[in-house]
Amino acid sequence: SQDFTVAGGSLSETHAKKICKIMDKAMLVGAPVIGLNDSGGARIQEGIDSLAGYAEVFQRNVDASGVVPQITMIMGPCAGGAVYSPAMTDFTFMVRNTSYMFVTGPDVVKTVTNEEVTQEELGGSKTHTSKSGVAHGAWDNDMEALASIREFFDFLPLSNKEEVPERKTEDRADRKCDMLEALVPADPNVPYDMKIAIRNVMDDFNFFEIMPDFAKNIVIGF
């Protein structure tokens, strides 16, 4: 987790070492890595040492890929290196109207291209969940986001050495889904909501959708 009230949450050499140590330990014991990002990027005062720190973090992202789940929650305005790493993780989520992801901010864009663009247009949750596909979902506030991350976490194995988690349910495997007979229209040209069909065949009607606003012609989730 990063604290924006301390030097803008910027990454220093020591900051990078702490992140790398956590990720090394996670891979060693087989535990997921969850990052709460709220950072302005590299700490300029430290120059190349800060940038080198990001290189080490990126390397850990690559090494951990396919080994342990990597989840990132963007909880504030993040720029530069602070968005490269989240983009390399397995799942990235955002908070609407308060979190942003961009390589560089609107002021720099205006200086270089003379184009005026808002933070939301450049790197807001709507942009990344519906256009770029960088983010896998977004929620209205921090509390809802954190609660949803906890729910999502329960669907994932701890590492590539662990089995998919199982939990008991009162929902019988042979439960009838009578509504499915009426859901699909007789006319193949008439659309219907596939999500209704999916939820009705899921245990306890529990379906966690991934990227609901991106490429809506396909539905994916847990």
Side-chain angles (χ1 to χ4, degrees):
S1 178
Q2 295 164 327
D3 186 354
F4 198 82
T5 63
V6 179
S10 57
L11 185 125
S12 65
E13 181 183 9
T14 304
H15 188 159
K17 287 181 178 179
K18 290 176 70 175
I19 294 176
C20 291
K21 185 177 181 180
I22 290 172
M23 297 184 72
D24 287 338
K25 288 291 185 182
M27 287 185 281
L28 180 64
V29 302
V33 177
I34 301 175
L36 306 181
N37 283 38
D38 191 0
S39 169
R43 188 166 300 178
I44 298 175
Q45 296 90 330
E46 295 196 13
I48 195 65
D49 291 333
S50 177
L51 297 177
Y54 266 124
E56 292 296 329
V57 174
F58 300 157
Q59 184 62 56
R60 297 314 192 281
N61 289 134
V62 174
D63 294 341
S65 180
V67 179
V68 295
Q70 299 179 80
I71 305 171
T72 304
M73 171 62 72
I74 306 296
M75 306 193 73
C78 294
V83 298
Y84 297 150
S85 178
M88 296 171 69
T89 58
D90 300 313
F91 299 96
T92 304
F93 299 101
M94 302 182 71
V95 181
R96 296 186 182 96
N97 302 318
T98 59
S99 66
Y100 308 97
M101 296 175 65
F102 33 64
V103 176
T104 188
D107 293 340
V108 177
V109 172
K110 183 178 180 180
T111 301
V112 176
T113 67
N114 202 31
E115 179 183 359
E116 292 190 7
V117 61
T118 66
Q119 284 189 327
E120 185 64 36
E121 293 170 336
L122 185 62
S125 61
K126 184 176 181 180
T127 297
H128 288 308
T129 57
S130 63
K131 294 182 180 180
S132 72
V134 172
H136 296 79
W139 292 280
D140 292 330
N141 56 66
D142 291 353
M143 295 302 294
E144 183 181 352
L146 293 173
S148 298
I149 283 292
R150 291 188 180 98
E151 178 187 356
F152 172 64
F153 177 81
D154 288 339
F155 290 99
L156 304 177
L158 294 178
S159 71
N160 59 358
K161 296 181 180 180
E162 298 289 337
E163 297 293 333
V164 176
E166 295 182 3
R167 57 187 176 191
K168 294 182 179 180
T169 175
E170 300 295 329
D171 195 357
R172 294 171 51 188
D174 60 351
R175 168 174 55 85
K176 290 185 177 181
C177 300
D178 296 329
M179 57 79 56
L180 294 180
E181 296 182 3
L183 177 64
V184 181
D187 186 349
N189 295 318
V190 176
Y192 64 95
D193 191 348
M194 188 63 193
K195 296 178 186 179
I196 296 177
I198 293 174
R199 286 194 178 91
N200 274 270
V201 298
M202 290 290 168
D203 290 340
D204 299 318
F205 304 91
N206 189 9
F207 176 61
F208 192 99
E209 187 174 3
I210 299 295
M211 304 180 82
D213 301 316
F214 183 76
K216 293 184 176 182
N217 55 322
I218 186 170
V219 180
I220 59 175
F222 294 88

